[in-house]
Amino acid sequence: MGGGARGAGDGPAPGTGRGGRRWHRGVPVADRVEQQIREAQARGSFSGLRGEGRPIPHLHRQRTSYQWVLDWAEREGADLSAAMPVGLALRRERAELRAAVPGMRSEREVRELVADFNGRLRDAYLRPASGPPVAVGPLDLQVQLDRWREAHPPRPAPDPPPAPAPRRRPWWRRRP
């Protein structure tokens, strides 16, 4: 292949927009963008989109970046627990763990979960605090085990099998 000729599949030449048009250096970017939007509207690229013809909700109110993030998280179903301060996240997790204890499968699972949470809580208290100070108490292992045992009572012991009937001697071995 030669060095000077460009093939048909090589894409637009440098300095050109879509469709091979050349952009002039003196044209502001906003004008270029507006022109591309008008051309896309003429082609019908924006027709049939979700929300077409409806007003943009809450367009009239002023929103902070914080409110925008909350709206985005609600709309997309995102979990913002990673953005919470450590103390608040641990308090929330503690409440979720307490609610989950009765549904766990075994005492061992409860013990491991409580030990893991209490270890992470201890580590969080040893680090410098970031965010507002939030008091979060450790989970009491015995209380959680009692809650689990209450939800999972021990199975009653099966009734012992009935004692076999005494064996009768055959008639020829009976003594008078």
Side-chain angles (χ1 to χ4, degrees):
M1 289 230 124
R6 292 181 57 93
D10 290 341
T16 61
R18 272 204 166 140
R21 283 190 311 260
R22 192 167 209 46
W23 295 113
H24 300 287
R25 286 191 180 264
V27 178
V29 174
D31 291 345
R32 290 187 232 163
V33 171
E34 287 295 327
Q35 181 182 359
Q36 288 178 335
I37 290 173
R38 282 191 301 274
E39 290 173 0
Q41 285 173 333
R43 285 192 308 269
S45 298
F46 298 129
S47 61
L49 296 176
R50 181 177 53 134
E52 178 184 18
R54 285 185 272 154
I56 298 173
H58 309 295
L59 187 62
H60 62 281
R61 77 172 183 200
Q62 293 291 331
R63 292 193 320 179
T64 63
S65 58
Y66 178 74
Q67 184 62 43
W68 181 89
V69 169
L70 291 178
D71 290 345
W72 172 84
E74 182 180 336
R75 184 176 60 246
E76 299 296 325
D79 181 24
L80 291 179
S81 60
M84 294 173 71
V86 176
L88 290 176
L90 286 171
R91 178 181 277 183
R92 182 181 197 183
E93 182 182 355
R94 182 179 192 270
E96 291 171 357
L97 293 179
R98 291 188 73 238
V101 163
M104 292 185 179
R105 293 178 294 211
S106 67
E107 279 190 28
R108 190 175 124 238
E109 189 177 351
V110 173
R111 289 177 191 276
E112 289 173 358
L113 187 75
V114 168
D116 176 57
F117 175 78
N118 287 341
R120 287 186 290 114
L121 181 66
R122 183 179 52 253
D123 292 345
Y125 275 125
L126 293 176
R127 279 188 251 124
S130 63
V134 178
V136 181
L139 287 172
D140 185 355
L141 177 62
Q142 193 57 47
V143 170
Q144 299 311 315
L145 287 175
D146 290 344
R147 291 180 68 234
W148 184 86
R149 289 178 186 136
E150 184 178 305
H152 298 86
R155 292 185 183 137
D159 292 332
R167 198 166 164 193
R168 292 188 63 192
R169 291 180 148 188
W171 62 270
W172 62 87
R173 294 199 178 231
R174 291 186 192 152
R175 291 193 181 161

